[in-house]
Each structure stands twice: as C-alpha cells, then as structure tokens.
Amino acid sequence: MIQTEMKIILLLLFFFFAVILCKLDTAYDHSLSEEEYKYSLGKDYVFFEISEPEVIAYTYKANPASFSPPWNETMTGVPLIPTDPPCGCGFIRNHDDVEGKVAFVERGDCSFVSKVIRAEEAGAIGVIITDQDAENDELYISMVDDTTKRPVHIPAIFLLGKNGQIIKKTLEMKRLPYALLNIPVNISRIPMHRLNQPPWLVW
C-alpha cells in the first residue's frame, strides 16, 4: 500500500515539475516582430525592384560582391542591359548601350572580378551577375576576389539563376533591350504584405 502511494506521489511530482519547465520555456520564447523579420531577411543582402516590363515587376534579393564597393547610391529607373557577350568576359561589344547603365552578366568563363572590370571599362555604373543555371533558386554564390588585386570601382551583386534567367528570357521574348530597375530598395520601410516577391520564388 505504502509503495503504491509513493508511486502516485512521485508521478504527481513528475507532472508538476514538467508543467513548470514548460512554462519556463514558453516565457523565453520570442516571436520576431515584422521589423525584426525583415532585418533578418535583408541582413547582408541587396534588394532591387524591376518596374518595367510589368510581367517581371517584382522585388529581387541579391548577394553583394565582397570585392566591390557597396551599393550606396540610390538609382531609380536605371536600365538593366544584358551584355554582349552574355558572360561579360573580354571586350563588351555593346559598350555604347551599357555605358551609364547597369550591366546584366551571366556567370562563367572568367572570374567575377574580370566581369565587373570589363563592365566598368564599358562605362557601366553597376553590375548584376546571374547564374546560368535556371534551376538555381536558393544558392547565393559568394562573389569573392580572384587574388589578382585589381581594383573595382562599381558595385556588383549576384542574382539567383532562376530569377536571372526569367528576366533574360522575358526581355528576349518581348524583344526589349533592357529592363528598368530601382536599386537598392530598403525593404524595412515596406509593409510585409506589400513586399512584391516573384511568385516563382520565396526569399
């Protein structure tokens, strides 16, 4: 009888302490506010938005290059021009079109530094480099220095291949020479429900 009562008491004590521990854990739980969420979302990234053409008018997330200056200057309605050749290695044949615009370049064939330098030589004011892999919807490549110690004076960012290839194909399909973009975009000032993310991708 005594053993049965002791078992009951121990069982009750176990449940009592379990409830207390659960309450302590809950007390330290912290759900992010909208501002905190957007800060964690945008930390170390650059955001830009395309205003035209309308079919790809969304806000995009990109990873800044470690070797280029930050994108501090706000550019509104600036054309995003695909380079010729697309890889941006060697001489930029459409340098007249690229001058004073943001160059749109594909990854591959030479280092990121070389691409940005070539775009800078063509007169570009910034560079967006996208992956050739149209299925890449999550891997943000780190654009690092190629150890050649060549200086870069314009900002550069890396865009996911899925976003980049959709933008490129849309321009080709509509026979448009460029897209208009606003960069950078401060998402901390935009309400969550108005963050216009691409429907084919979630940040």
Side-chain angles (χ1 to χ4, degrees):
M1 184 69 178
I2 294 175
Q3 287 183 347
T4 303
E5 289 178 351
M6 285 296 295
K7 286 180 181 179
I8 293 172
I9 291 170
L10 289 172
L11 192 60
L12 289 172
L13 286 172
F14 172 78
F15 280 114
F16 174 75
F17 284 114
V19 169
I20 290 176
L21 287 173
C22 286
K23 287 184 177 180
L24 286 173
D25 285 344
T26 305
Y28 288 101
D29 281 351
H30 179 64
S31 58
L32 294 178
S33 67
E34 182 175 311
E35 286 72 24
E36 289 170 330
Y37 173 73
K38 284 189 288 188
Y39 175 78
S40 66
L41 180 71
K43 190 176 184 297
D44 301 325
Y45 290 96
V46 173
F47 292 83
F48 68 90
E49 60 186 12
I50 289 179
S51 57
E52 293 182 24
E54 189 176 352
V55 68
I56 50 172
Y58 299 106
T59 302
Y60 300 85
K61 179 179 177 181
N63 192 32
S66 63
F67 56 80
S68 72
W71 217 304
N72 289 331
E73 182 183 351
T74 300
M75 303 175 187
T76 304
V78 61
L80 175 66
I81 305 279
T83 59
D84 179 19
C87 65
C89 302
F91 179 69
I92 304 295
R93 290 190 284 270
N94 62 334
H95 56 89
D96 288 340
D97 297 327
V98 170
E99 186 175 2
K101 320 287 194 318
V102 174
F104 194 31
V105 182
E106 284 191 350
R107 181 186 178 199
D109 294 341
C110 65
S111 71
F112 291 121
V113 173
S114 294
K115 293 175 186 294
V116 180
I117 288 175
R118 287 296 188 180
E120 185 178 349
E121 290 172 348
I125 56 177
V127 183
I128 295 179
I129 299 175
T130 189
D131 203 346
Q132 293 172 312
D133 182 6
E135 298 304 314
N136 179 12
D137 59 0
E138 61 180 357
L139 180 60
Y140 286 91
I141 304 296
S142 295
M143 298 201 298
V144 297
D145 195 348
D146 62 5
T147 72
T148 58
K149 298 183 179 180
R150 291 174 292 171
V152 171
H153 305 101
I154 59 175
I157 54 178
F158 179 84
L159 180 66
L160 289 176
K162 187 151 193 173
N163 287 334
Q165 294 305 319
I166 287 177
I167 293 170
K168 183 181 176 184
K169 287 176 182 176
T170 300
L171 294 179
E172 291 173 352
M173 207 166 57
K174 291 186 169 290
R175 299 183 180 180
L176 296 172
Y178 56 79
L180 293 180
L181 58 84
N182 304 320
I183 186 171
V185 172
N186 185 355
I187 65 166
S188 66
R189 297 179 180 178
I190 304 173
M192 283 298 298
H193 68 277
R194 294 187 61 189
L195 282 177
N196 195 19
Q197 301 182 45
W200 57 83
L201 191 68
V202 178
W203 290 336

